[in-house]
Amino acid sequence: GGSATGSGGTGGTKPYIAIVSKGSQHQFWQAVQKGATDEATAKGATITYEGPASESEVDKQLTMLQTALDKKPAAICFAALDSKAAGPLLQKAKDAKVPVVGFDSGVDSDIPVTTVSTDNIAAAGEAADQMAKLIGDSGKVAVIVHDQTSQTGTTRRDGFVNRMKEKHPNIQVVAVEYGAGDPVKSADLAKAVMTANPDLKGFFGANEGSAKGVLNALKETGKENKVVAIGYDSGQQQIDAIKSGVMAGAITQNPVGIGAKCVSAALDAIAGKTLPKTIDTGYYWYDKTNIDKAEIQAVLYK
Amino acid sequence: MSVGDLLVEMTDISKSFPGVRALDGCRFELRPGEVHALVGENGAGKSTMMKLLAGIYRPDSGTIRFKGREVDISSPRAAQDLGISIIHQELNLMGHLTVAQNIFIGREPRGMLPFMLDEAALNHNARTLFEELHIKLDPRARVSNLAVAQQQMVEIAKALSFNSNVLIMDEPTAALTDTEIDELFRIIRQLRERGTGIVHISHRLEELKQISDRVTVMRDGKYVDTVTTADVSTQSIISMMVGRTIFEEAPEVPEKRDPEVVLEVRGLSRGRVIRDVSFQLHRGEILGISGLVGAGRTEVVRAVFGADPSDSGQVLVHGRPAEIRTPTDAVAAGIGYLSEDRKRFGLALTMDVETNTCLASMASFTDQLGRINFRRTRETAISHAKSLAIKTPSIRQRVRNLSGGNQQKVVIAKWLTADTEVLIFDEPTRGIDVGAKSEIYKLLNDLARQGKAIIMISSELPEILRMSHRILVMCEGRITGELSAAEATQERIMALATQRESVAAA
Amino acid sequence: MTTPTASYRSRVQALVTGDALQRILALGALVVLLLFFSAISPPFRTTDNFTSILVATAVNGILAMGVTFVIITGGIDLSVGTTMTLCTVVLGLTVTKAGLPLWIGLPAAMAAGAFLGTLNGLLIAKAKLPPFIATLGMLNVARGLAQILSDVKPIYFEGNPEFYDVFMGKPLLGIPNVVFVMFGAAVIAHVVLTRTVLGRYTFALGSNEEATRLSGVNVDRWKIAVYALCGLFAGLAGILIGARMTSAQPSVGLGYELDAIAAAVIGGTSLSGGEGSIVGTIIGAFIISTLTIGLSIVGVPDQWKLVITGLVVIGAVWLDILRRRNRA
Amino acid sequence: MTTPTASYRSRVQALVTGDALQRILALGALVVLLLFFSAISPPFRTTDNFTSILVATAVNGILAMGVTFVIITGGIDLSVGTTMTLCTVVLGLTVTKAGLPLWIGLPAAMAAGAFLGTLNGLLIAKAKLPPFIATLGMLNVARGLAQILSDVKPIYFEGNPEFYDVFMGKPLLGIPNVVFVMFGAAVIAHVVLTRTVLGRYTFALGSNEEATRLSGVNVDRWKIAVYALCGLFAGLAGILIGARMTSAQPSVGLGYELDAIAAAVIGGTSLSGGEGSIVGTIIGAFIISTLTIGLSIVGVPDQWKLVITGLVVIGAVWLDILRRRNRA
Ligand SMILES: Nc1ncnc2c1ncn2[C@@H]1O[C@H](COP(=O)(O)OP(=O)(O)OP(=O)(O)O)[C@@H](O)[C@H]1O
Ligand SMILES: Nc1ncnc2c1ncn2[C@@H]1O[C@H](COP(=O)(O)OP(=O)(O)OP(=O)(O)O)[C@@H](O)[C@H]1O
Ligand SMILES: [Mg+2]
Ligand SMILES: [Mg+2]
């Protein structure tokens, strides 16, 4: 959602930061927006925040980036759906001397002054290692991904699958299904996977919707606690499932932190400070044992 | 003439449609420079026979010879290429296009580039065509804005523009009044001089004597006989058609008309089309409305029925003002309307006879829960199908597959089922054969006797004269006069029908 | 028209024009699919899996029933998917935020659906908007509202654990109740369509609206009723999907409308109006879900699923067309 | 039926039925939008932003032109969005994988579009499938193929930097070439629709297909031609979007069909066929992009954008309907 703290536009003494993210309708992006908005109010900046309805709308995001540039912002925070596709526009920003802060999966280009990123590959790899641990390093597992055309989708899928290949040769990833992040469609697919592989040991749901799908599938087939479920991101249902043990655990990034760091980094850039090439906002593995810890609670959203 | 001179020769033609054997070993022949009338009851197979010749259907069996050569007419285009053009029973026009664009569709004059259009030439060609034919039409007018009759003239002009050597006319006069018909016949005679062979399908048998050289009679998809018009009486043609003789009962005018006024219209007006129309309709009366096509008769009754809005005016039923804004109100107030264009306004073509028969009175066939009593709908449909002699394989047949005349009977059945007190018939016998016609006349009289109040719009003066107890004549949206059955004559009616205002508006 | 021939002909007629053949045909396609998958994949031919297919059909099946009515009138409803979502959100708000009991929330959800449907109906019947546009607009409006009302966050039915059990519980032959709900709805829809005046007018509207109007039928009112009914079904679908997710997800629902329309048309409902049946629609819905699940069980990659689904939609309808052609 | 009356009517006719008024009306709506946003937001009324709006309109505008032809015939094409994508992929493969020069790749892309369009046409004209279904199927097929051919990865035009410059460069008044391409295409489309045989038959088909057929016109062939033309425009759109993204994104394109249809209908093209104009369609496309960009510049939340867009679509068409009603 593109809600504006203060009037959009160049007006006013406060520096104006335009944030173009990858999405607007998923809670993850809402959390990022929250972090950014809070930081902005704290540090006295105006921001606008928007992103395309789905993470495959590369072209629509470019229009948003273009619009952001037209607003002559003091800085831009940008989570590219496709960095190369955004190349020309980023060049424009550079020519216009508008500092660009990359975030989320980052922007592979030397234009951004810094990138506030999470390493999705490593994060999904972590999920793979945890899965291996939980199923005794052998057996069949499957992955439910939101889509195979968005960067978050592919990186998380590949991070998980490749880690299994490299580190856990006895584990087979028997299926990768794409459920559009729809908890019901994902559930139907997960059930199909279990039908095809009755001896399936574990599921990895690569985003909130997919994870929910896995949980629904297990519930509907009465396989709760029989099949290991690992999720991604947070949200009520996953948190409850982890507390009740139905879900072994999940990877979470720090969406609020990402939002906040974006804005602060942007402000530093405006102030002309030099920034590190990357600011890693990190990711966390959380499960029954640590879910109530403060630093985890801080990065979870409901 | 020897067979060699035959322009068209169709022999042992058979054609079946699901559930219907439309044509059964039929034959037909056409000589150059003759007007050959094709007659038969509704559903006899006239249109189908000619559609085969025009390349719209292919025969199941039989041969078609053109100028002695056996031909396979596979498409309308193929027919055109042979020089066969047809005026269909139903209008086939592109309403969004102009008159000229319709006439030359598929034959547009091209511009500098082969695929570019030359609109100027198009309109010019149309204008010259109209001058030749003495038709008064604006080539640039949008067809959807023309009245039925004007649209029919467009169809005629289109067919003539081909200068074909065979011209088929499937009831071209059904939508026309005498003036246009005379014009049409003048044109037909011209063509006959040129040696064009003309097929003329019509239910107006008086026309046969006027225009045709020979008559071929069909019955139930079978060939009956071909005779030289001059040699036979209309009566004998009729008996050939129906296989029986019909007694044309004289119009019986009730000695004294029932004083009870069922419907009264006061000062009904809309723009230029309806201007201050007032009249009363008595119980048990048949009120004829006559006038030239375009006089506004349909507009008036549609306004009364609530199908079209009106600027001002009042409708009273039994002396009480009735708020009629929609047809629903009208039917509730006991008024029924049979449109002049059954396909567009009368029938749900994809639905069966039963459904159409009951469509205007579903309420009476349903319980509080809205459930339909199918036994009663079926019985009703069957009884009407019998009493009106609707020619259909079953009441489950889709109305689309019935012949023109039988479709009209289904519309009538619908309103008989609705059993409204006032019945407005707009061109009720348009496209209906003599047999059915006299049945419908009988029906109208019976209904009147039963105390129904009936309005009948007709462009056929004999019909108006024969049926009406009282006649209203319209011209340019006004009622120009009222005649009692006794005083009415063709001349008087025409006088009133052409009583244009000295300062003709627009 | 002598009675013997008539009755004989009518019997022939009934055979040919009746929906019978059409259903048999769609059913044939479904059976072929089921046999095919069962043949090449042992896991497919398990009772559990057939149950999954039944469950997966429920939501789309119910949406498709409503859409069937609309399409028979010659209209279309693109808003059923997002309307469904909005209804789930409404349910969520009533039972969680407002803390009202389920037996109030469920009717509320369906009422919401009927309300949006009525709006569609008004836009189409009164304002004379083309159904495609009216409902395309409503698609966006409903989607937006669902997100606004839910503050773009899922609403969880934590307070009502029974909600899930009521619909996903398996008291009968291990088949979840949603399935029976679907078939129940189908029976009602079928009766309404074939035995009531609403159904009769639904067909009449699609066949010739003007003629129906001139027969004194209040076409506007009935048209509105049809769209309201369609919304009502969307509401029911919203309840089922809510039960399955034990939550209201404001972002799901987009794209469901196309599946629903596809189901109806595959089942022999004619987009030009005047023809269609609930039985056919249900079969159409089964064809779609069987395909989706079958393909993922045999492990067909996603991009190929798209191609195959596309081809099946085309193929199934083509089959139906050929059947009609041989008939007429 | 006297000449004065006739000619009088036709004159009135010309005034009212002519697209003139219709365009003026849609144009009015556009102007209102532009003024409104300019008034409330300084950054909106900058040349840069107006340029952005022009650029943002190009792709949808061109898709909408093709769709306009189809809709005027009384059909619909849901596959333009994904067809566009497939065309971009084809372009990508020819110039990168096959390493052929652009001047071969561009025609290849458009040929691909025309080909898919022809398939639609064949399914609709020959197999008699309802356009909605034929193109719905094609939507999935094209989408799947685009992903299969591209192996579900973006294809980058790194080898052809000139590609971007050719279309996004600004030799004239700082306006990117895409804009001129769009207007060029519009002029051609307008001429084809109003001055050529194809255009004439496009209207004839939509007005009364049966009558057109009975007039000896080979309706099948012309219908196929219209869908092929629509595909051709999709191909051109594919080229532009590819240039804009300097890549072929196998995933974009879904949903573009609805924007294109909305643009056409907002512009006064009637979904029941027989009426429409390219000028109107272009205006419709501008209304949509102005709205999208305007709303995001003034920072309206996404969920509200949905609601507003929905209402505008409904409102704009309603306006057009009222205009027609007053006319008739
Ligand atoms: N397309 C069709 N499908 C099924 N039956 C048809 C079709 N067209 C005509 N018929 C049937 O064929 C028979 C002949 O129809 P046709 O239209 O030729 O009669 P007609 O002589 O023209 O009657 P009318 O004078 O009423 O026009 C009728 O029984 C009609 O029901
Ligand atoms: N759709 C239309 N648009 C504009 N004018 C029309 C339309 N239909 C009819 N008119 C005009 O309205 C007047 C009445 O036409 P209408 O067809 O009602 O005449 P009518 O007396 O009913 O003749 P008939 O019933 O024999 O065709 C005529 O001037 C006609 O040209
Ligand atoms: Mg006939
Ligand atoms: Mg009339």
Side-chain angles (χ1 to χ4, degrees):
Chain A
S3 76
T5 329
S7 77
T10 49
T13 53
K14 295 173 159 188
Y16 164 55
I17 304 168
I19 305 179
V20 178
S21 96
K22 283 184 178 180
S24 52
Q25 276 153 30
H26 286 89
Q27 273 186 287
F28 180 85
W29 300 114
Q30 301 261 319
V32 173
Q33 179 176 3
K34 186 178 179 308
T37 315
D38 297 350
E39 183 75 5
T41 5
K43 295 245 179 88
T46 39
I47 67 163
T48 51
Y49 182 100
E50 70 177 332
S54 99
E55 294 192 13
S56 55
E57 296 179 341
V58 178
D59 165 60
K60 295 237 161 77
Q61 192 192 35
L62 292 185
T63 306
M64 290 176 176
L65 184 55
Q66 175 65 61
T67 314
L69 280 168
D70 296 341
K71 286 189 275 184
K72 310 265 182 311
I76 286 181
C77 300
F78 180 52
L81 288 174
D82 185 306
S83 327
K84 288 194 197 145
L89 283 177
L90 292 173
Q91 190 55 49
K92 263 194 189 169
K94 190 174 187 188
D95 303 344
K97 308 228 166 359
V98 178
V100 175
V101 174
F103 71 100
D104 191 57
S105 44
V107 177
D108 78 16
S109 146
D110 50 7
I111 292 172
V113 292
T114 179
T115 300
V116 181
S117 75
T118 313
D119 185 344
N120 269 308
I121 302 261
E126 170 74 18
D129 293 336
Q130 294 288 350
M131 175 71 77
K133 197 157 13 116
L134 287 157
I135 64 172
D137 210 11
S138 80
K140 294 181 179 176
V141 300
V143 190
I144 306 294
V145 189
H146 39 297
D147 64 63
Q148 65 172 338
T149 55
S150 79
Q151 203 166 1
T152 48
T154 47
T155 47
R156 290 174 190 181
R157 173 196 63 199
D158 299 342
F160 185 90
V161 174
N162 296 337
R163 178 68 60 92
M164 285 299 185
K165 285 212 199 80
E166 294 151 12
K167 287 250 213 76
H168 314 286
N170 303 334
I171 296 179
Q172 276 175 277
V173 181
V174 290
V176 180
E177 291 289 343
Y178 303 90
D182 176 327
V184 167
K185 287 187 175 146
S186 305
D188 290 330
L189 291 170
K191 284 162 79 177
V193 170
M194 286 188 279
T195 310
N197 310 278
D199 54 348
L200 191 78
K201 281 189 171 171
F203 264 121
F204 171 48
N207 80 338
E208 188 183 348
S210 311
K212 283 174 176 165
V214 170
L215 291 173
N216 293 339
L218 296 182
K219 189 170 184 185
E220 290 177 17
T221 52
K223 293 239 176 98
E224 289 171 323
N225 304 316
K226 297 198 186 70
V227 175
V228 175
I230 289 180
Y232 207 110
D233 299 339
S234 40
Q236 187 70 51
Q237 192 175 354
Q238 281 195 89
I239 294 170
D240 294 349
I242 287 172
K243 284 183 170 162
S244 70
V246 174
M247 180 171 269
I251 298 288
T252 180
Q253 302 176 30
N254 180 359
V256 181
I258 292 177
K261 286 221 174 63
C262 274
V263 172
S264 54
L267 289 170
D268 293 349
I270 296 167
K273 297 187 192 143
T274 49
L275 292 152
K277 203 76 205 101
T278 63
I279 303 169
D280 190 345
T281 51
Y283 57 84
Y284 307 79
W285 163 260
Y286 67 107
D287 56 17
K288 248 218 212 70
T289 61
N290 66 349
I291 188 163
D292 295 317
K293 292 214 176 72
E295 77 266 25
I296 295 296
Q297 282 298 321
V299 297
L300 297 184
Y301 58 83
K302 286 206 164 194
Chain B
M1 281 194 176
S2 79
V3 178
D5 304 322
L6 283 179
L7 205 48
V8 174
E9 186 184 19
M10 305 172 77
T11 44
D12 317 324
I13 303 287
S14 294
K15 174 72 181 173
S16 294
F17 297 104
V20 187
R21 191 153 174 77
L23 293 174
D24 183 358
C26 241
R27 34 187 276 248
F28 179 78
E29 63 174 46
L30 182 65
R31 296 183 190 138
E34 83 166 332
V35 177
H36 195 141
L38 183 57
V39 298
E41 289 187 284
N42 298 124
K46 305 180 294 293
S47 298
T48 307
M49 190 77 174
M50 290 303 117
K51 283 177 179 170
L52 295 173
L53 189 53
I56 289 134
Y57 300 142
R58 313 274 284 274
D60 300 342
S61 69
T63 61
I64 301 176
R65 293 178 175 285
F66 185 78
K67 291 181 175 168
R69 190 164 43 84
E70 181 164 347
V71 289
D72 168 24
I73 307 172
S74 56
S75 73
R77 169 68 79 183
Q80 286 175 15
D81 297 344
L82 287 173
I84 301 172
S85 61
I86 180 168
I87 301 170
H88 289 280
Q89 185 170 4
E90 314 75 19
L91 290 167
N92 282 293
L93 295 166
M94 286 131 287
H96 295 86
L97 303 192
T98 67
V99 170
Q101 290 168 350
N102 265 278
I103 288 174
F104 293 103
I105 184 80
R107 301 172 292 149
E108 294 80 2
R110 305 305 173 87
M112 53 240 123
L113 291 165
F115 52 84
M116 297 296 275
L117 297 167
D118 182 345
E119 211 63 359
L122 183 76
N123 289 319
H124 175 267
N125 295 356
R127 212 169 278 107
T128 39
L129 177 67
F130 293 160
E131 278 155 14
E132 279 177 27
L133 306 175
H134 299 83
I135 299 178
K136 297 194 186 66
L137 276 175
D138 176 357
R140 301 188 323 291
R142 202 174 135 121
V143 164
S144 63
N145 295 323
L146 301 180
V148 185
Q150 295 169 312
Q151 296 182 347
Q152 181 65 64
M153 291 313 280
V154 175
E155 284 277 24
I156 292 167
K158 179 178 172 185
L160 295 175
S161 67
F162 283 92
N163 303 316
S164 338
N165 24 31
V166 174
L167 174 60
I168 305 163
M169 302 191 292
D170 195 344
E171 300 188 32
T173 57
L176 303 184
T177 43
D178 303 0
T179 33
E180 286 105 346
I181 292 176
D182 295 342
E183 194 51 41
L184 177 61
F185 286 178
R186 194 187 50 70
I187 296 164
I188 291 178
R189 294 196 183 87
Q190 271 182 15
L191 294 173
R192 178 162 51 186
E193 305 312 313
R194 288 196 222 147
T196 312
I198 295 155
V199 183
H200 180 67
I201 300 180
S202 176
H203 289 296
R204 298 182 170 185
L205 299 180
E206 69 275 12
E207 289 176 357
L208 303 189
K209 290 286 182 188
Q210 292 176 27
I211 193 74
S212 72
D213 305 308
R214 293 196 298 166
V215 183
T216 290
V217 181
M218 294 177 62
R219 191 194 313 143
D220 300 336
K222 296 198 183 59
Y223 172 85
V224 177
D225 195 4
T226 303
V227 295
T228 307
T229 317
D231 306 351
V232 291
S233 70
T234 310
Q235 264 310 323
S236 54
I237 292 177
I238 293 174
S239 44
M240 275 194 277
M241 283 170 56
V242 297
R244 65 182 188 283
T245 42
I246 299 174
F247 307 103
E248 301 246 327
E249 53 177 276
E252 22 109 331
V253 185
E255 46 296 331
K256 62 170 183 55
R257 101 151 72 107
D258 188 322
E260 181 183 353
V261 174
V262 179
L263 179 76
E264 177 169 6
V265 175
R266 286 189 195 152
L268 190 71
S269 301
R270 186 174 84 243
R272 195 178 298 100
V273 184
I274 307 172
R275 291 144 76 196
D276 189 25
V277 169
S278 306
F279 62 86
Q280 292 190 334
L281 178 63
H282 291 258
R283 190 164 182 289
E285 161 181 63
I286 298 178
L287 174 65
I289 303 184
S290 184
L292 300 181
V293 168
R297 298 162 300 174
T298 296
E299 311 300 50
V300 167
V301 290
R302 278 181 61 97
V304 170
F305 187 64
D308 294 336
S310 55
D311 303 340
S312 63
Q314 199 181 18
V315 175
L316 298 89
V317 180
H318 287 298
R320 270 174 266 91
E323 279 301 317
I324 297 179
R325 267 190 230 78
T326 67
T328 317
D329 304 337
V331 175
I335 304 173
Y337 169 62
L338 288 82
S339 152
E340 64 186 323
D341 183 342
R342 51 183 171 263
K343 281 224 164 76
R344 263 170 68 213
F345 302 130
L347 296 162
L349 287 168
T350 62
M351 303 187 82
D352 60 21
V353 176
E354 175 179 350
T355 307
N356 276 282
T357 306
C358 303
L359 191 57
S361 38
M362 284 312 289
S364 62
F365 293 100
T366 54
D367 61 17
Q368 307 86 333
L369 293 172
R371 282 173 310 189
I372 301 168
N373 180 336
F374 285 101
R375 198 176 45 74
R376 292 199 30 242
T377 54
R378 194 179 326 95
E379 285 164 0
T380 313
I382 289 174
S383 69
H384 282 303
K386 281 214 168 61
S387 61
L388 297 175
I390 298 173
K391 197 164 183 292
T392 172
S394 97
I395 58 166
R396 292 249 181 290
Q397 173 72 296
R398 290 167 184 248
V399 175
R400 185 206 294 129
N401 299 339
L402 298 190
S403 77
N406 283 300
Q407 291 179 339
Q408 181 71 320
K409 290 184 186 175
V410 174
V411 180
I412 294 175
K414 175 172 76 181
W415 288 108
L416 293 184
T417 310
D419 190 33
T420 51
E421 190 170 16
V422 177
L423 284 171
I424 304 171
F425 292 83
D426 192 347
E427 311 284 1
T429 61
R430 178 175 288 178
I432 294 215
D433 66 61
V434 276
K437 238 183 211 171
S438 64
E439 286 165 21
I440 287 171
Y441 293 157
K442 207 172 145 307
L443 199 85
L444 287 173
N445 287 324
D446 294 347
L447 291 168
R449 243 185 261 100
Q450 293 161 27
K452 302 256 186 225
I454 296 171
I455 295 175
M456 184 184 83
I457 297 175
S458 173
S459 301
E460 290 184 53
L461 290 178
E463 179 168 287
I464 282 280
L465 288 166
R466 176 155 174 276
M467 293 307 298
S468 323
H469 302 157
R470 194 157 57 96
I471 299 169
L472 296 177
V473 186
M474 287 189 65
C475 178
E476 294 176 340
R478 298 163 299 135
I479 291 184
T480 49
E482 171 177 340
L483 300 166
S484 71
E487 61 197 11
T489 64
Q490 299 221 6
E491 295 65 30
R492 280 185 167 169
I493 293 177
M494 283 321 288
L496 292 167
T498 52
Q499 195 180 90
R500 300 216 151 77
E501 280 174 324
S502 45
V503 282
Chain C
M1 196 187 82
T2 53
T3 328
T5 26
S7 62
Y8 158 78
R9 283 211 180 121
S10 71
R11 252 181 285 112
V12 181
Q13 220 56 51
L15 262 176
V16 212
T17 61
D19 301 336
L21 183 56
Q22 152 182 338
R23 290 179 205 152
I24 292 166
L25 220 101
L27 194 57
L30 175 56
V31 171
V32 169
L33 270 179
L34 287 168
L35 291 178
F36 170 75
F37 282 120
S38 304
I40 63 168
S41 146
F44 183 89
R45 50 171 186 268
T46 57
T47 40
D48 282 5
N49 183 52
F50 291 127
T51 321
S52 312
I53 293 180
L54 286 168
V55 174
T57 312
V59 169
N60 183 33
I62 287 176
L63 285 178
M65 290 176 209
V67 170
T68 303
F69 278 81
V70 169
I71 296 180
I72 293 175
T73 65
I76 193 105
D77 191 342
L78 299 175
S79 67
V80 285
T82 54
T83 300
M84 168 185 80
T85 311
L86 180 60
C87 294
T88 321
V89 169
V90 169
L91 174 58
L93 293 178
T94 24
V95 301
T96 61
K97 297 271 182 303
L100 295 165
L102 263 184
W103 61 266
I104 293 182
L106 300 184
M110 299 189 62
F115 175 69
L116 286 204
T118 311
L119 289 186
N120 281 330
L122 286 168
L123 286 171
I124 292 159
K126 296 296 182 187
K128 307 280 178 240
L129 261 68
F132 191 99
I133 290 302
T135 57
L136 175 58
M138 191 58 71
L139 176 154
N140 290 312
V141 173
R143 185 144 191 253
L145 285 179
Q147 294 179 0
I148 292 166
L149 293 178
S150 66
D151 193 17
V152 207
K153 288 184 190 59
I155 304 171
Y156 295 95
F157 298 100
E158 291 157 309
N160 313 70
E162 77 279 21
F163 182 36
Y164 181 86
D165 307 330
V166 171
F167 290 97
M168 295 301 290
K170 317 175 176 177
L172 264 77
L173 353 134
I175 294 172
N177 290 339
V178 275
V179 177
F180 298 107
V181 173
M182 171 179 71
F183 284 118
V187 171
I188 294 169
H190 176 75
V191 170
V192 172
L193 185 60
T194 56
R195 300 244 166 288
T196 71
V197 66
L198 173 57
R200 185 48 56 97
Y201 287 150
T202 304
F203 281 101
L205 280 170
S207 182
N208 184 344
E209 181 173 339
E210 187 57 13
T212 310
R213 189 176 77 94
L214 292 178
S215 302
V217 177
N218 187 337
V219 292
D220 289 359
R221 199 180 69 213
W222 290 104
K223 210 187 264 183
I224 295 169
V226 167
Y227 281 89
L229 184 67
C230 180
L232 201 66
F233 278 101
L236 179 56
I239 292 171
L240 297 196
I241 203 169
R244 274 197 79 182
M245 303 187 297
T246 59
S247 62
Q249 301 286 344
S251 53
V252 305
L254 196 62
Y256 281 58
E257 64 282 353
L258 291 182
D259 281 354
I261 294 167
V265 178
I266 289 175
T269 303
S270 153
L271 279 164
S272 43
E275 298 196 21
S277 72
I278 295 298
V279 181
T281 297
I282 295 292
I283 295 171
F286 271 110
I287 290 181
I288 292 177
S289 50
T290 306
L291 195 65
T292 330
I293 291 181
L295 289 175
S296 44
I297 286 191
V298 299
V300 173
D302 209 49
Q303 53 273 39
W304 281 106
K305 277 186 207 158
L306 287 167
V307 176
I308 295 170
T309 319
L311 293 177
V312 167
V313 169
I314 291 173
V317 178
W318 196 340
L319 225 67
D320 186 40
I321 305 278
L322 290 175
R323 193 259 315 164
R324 285 177 209 266
R325 195 180 298 169
N326 300 346
R327 179 183 94 196
Chain D
M1 209 171 77
T2 56
T3 329
T5 346
S7 62
Y8 161 80
R9 278 230 192 84
S10 73
R11 252 181 287 111
V12 181
Q13 225 55 58
L15 260 176
V16 224
T17 63
D19 302 335
L21 182 56
Q22 152 181 334
R23 289 178 205 151
I24 293 166
L25 220 99
L27 195 58
L30 176 57
V31 171
V32 170
L33 271 179
L34 287 168
L35 291 178
F36 170 74
F37 283 118
S38 305
I40 63 167
S41 149
F44 184 88
R45 50 172 185 265
T46 58
T47 41
D48 281 7
N49 182 52
F50 291 127
T51 322
S52 312
I53 293 179
L54 286 167
V55 173
T57 312
V59 168
N60 184 32
I62 287 175
L63 285 178
M65 290 176 209
V67 170
T68 302
F69 278 81
V70 169
I71 296 180
I72 292 175
T73 64
I76 192 111
D77 191 342
L78 299 176
S79 69
V80 285
T82 53
T83 300
M84 168 185 80
T85 311
L86 181 61
C87 295
T88 322
V89 169
V90 168
L91 173 59
L93 293 177
T94 26
V95 301
T96 62
K97 296 273 183 305
L100 295 164
L102 264 182
W103 62 264
I104 294 183
L106 301 183
M110 299 189 60
F115 176 70
L116 286 204
T118 312
L119 289 185
N120 281 330
L122 286 167
L123 286 171
I124 293 158
K126 295 296 182 187
K128 305 281 178 244
L129 261 68
F132 191 99
I133 289 302
T135 57
L136 175 57
M138 192 58 73
L139 176 154
N140 289 310
V141 173
R143 184 147 193 254
L145 286 179
Q147 294 183 2
I148 292 164
L149 293 178
S150 64
D151 193 15
V152 206
K153 290 186 196 61
I155 304 171
Y156 297 98
F157 298 102
E158 287 152 321
N160 312 67
E162 77 279 21
F163 180 37
Y164 181 84
D165 308 331
V166 170
F167 289 98
M168 296 300 288
K170 320 176 174 175
L172 265 75
L173 349 136
I175 294 171
N177 290 337
V178 276
V179 178
F180 299 107
V181 173
M182 171 180 71
F183 284 118
V187 172
I188 295 170
H190 177 76
V191 170
V192 172
L193 186 59
T194 56
R195 303 242 173 290
T196 71
V197 185
L198 175 57
R200 173 59 43 80
Y201 294 154
T202 304
F203 281 101
L205 279 170
S207 185
N208 184 344
E209 180 173 341
E210 184 58 10
T212 313
R213 196 175 64 78
L214 293 178
S215 307
V217 175
N218 185 339
V219 292
D220 289 0
R221 202 179 64 212
W222 290 104
K223 211 187 262 182
I224 295 169
V226 167
Y227 281 89
L229 183 68
C230 181
L232 202 66
F233 278 101
L236 180 56
I239 292 172
L240 297 197
I241 202 170
R244 226 182 138 203
M245 303 186 301
T246 61
S247 60
Q249 301 283 346
S251 59
V252 303
L254 198 63
Y256 281 60
E257 65 283 352
L258 292 182
D259 283 355
I261 294 167
V265 177
I266 288 175
T269 303
S270 151
L271 279 165
S272 44
E275 297 191 27
S277 73
I278 296 298
V279 180
T281 296
I282 295 293
I283 296 171
F286 270 110
I287 290 180
I288 291 177
S289 49
T290 307
L291 194 65
T292 328
I293 291 183
L295 289 175
S296 70
I297 283 197
V298 300
V300 173
D302 209 53
Q303 53 272 41
W304 282 106
K305 275 187 209 155
L306 287 167
V307 176
I308 294 169
T309 320
L311 293 178
V312 167
V313 169
I314 291 174
V317 177
W318 196 339
L319 226 66
D320 186 40
I321 305 276
L322 289 175
R323 194 258 311 162
R324 285 177 209 263
R325 193 180 300 169
N326 300 346
R327 172 184 101 198

